[in-house]
Amino acid sequence: QVQLVEFGGGLVQAGDSVRLSCAASGGAFRHNMMGWFRQAPGKEREFVAAVTWSGGGTYYAHSVKGRFTISRDNEKNTVYLQMNSLKPEDTALYYCAAYSLPYAYAQYDKAALYANWGQGTQVTVSS
């Protein structure tokens, strides 16, 4: 089974940038859509971004569009989330996830359709 581990979280100031990484091991994932979700204390987990198996298609939540960029390097089995112009409301535990089926990306913003999840990495943005 694929195992996902996130890296890169930390404490930053508003307006700063940070890049999150998600390393996959234990199996191939290059044919699965990958996504990033986040969850703040007291709130539901929400979709952030997703990238198709080839990296040619990307999807973003309205709240992060234009500021965040998702990408993947299948040769390195790694998915990235570049976050720019961070805001305090971006503070959350960020999760990397792999879609349940390869070559598919329908309902990309639905957490229930992702089968494998990382442990999460905390991003805290101070004002």
Side-chain angles (χ1 to χ4, degrees):
Q1 297 295 320
V2 175
Q3 295 181 337
L4 305 175
V5 180
E6 301 94 335
F7 299 93
L11 175 63
V12 299
Q13 294 184 334
D16 284 354
S17 297
V18 66
R19 186 179 73 165
L20 303 183
S21 299
C22 174
S25 63
F29 83 116
R30 62 184 64 193
H31 298 304
N32 292 69
M33 179 173 66
M34 300 296 294
W36 286 94
F37 292 77
R38 67 186 183 186
Q39 186 168 23
K43 297 184 178 181
E44 297 183 348
R45 186 170 300 184
E46 66 174 349
F47 167 77
V48 176
V51 59
T52 58
W53 67 272
S54 67
T58 57
Y59 308 91
Y60 299 93
H62 180 72
S63 61
V64 306
K65 193 174 184 62
R67 298 188 298 120
F68 292 8
T69 301
I70 186 172
S71 62
R72 66 191 299 167
D73 186 337
N74 288 338
E75 298 301 318
K76 297 181 179 180
N77 294 321
T78 302
V79 180
Y80 306 96
L81 183 66
Q82 178 67 44
M83 304 188 292
N84 299 327
S85 301
L86 285 166
K87 305 175 181 179
E89 51 263 45
D90 293 319
T91 296
L93 185 64
Y94 284 72
Y95 296 93
C96 172
Y99 201 76
S100 60
L101 295 172
Y103 307 109
Y105 51 90
Q107 303 179 55
Y108 56 83
D109 60 339
K110 300 298 186 293
L113 297 182
Y114 289 76
N116 299 92
W117 294 79
Q119 83 290 346
T121 184
Q122 179 69 35
V123 175
T124 301
V125 185
S126 63
S127 60

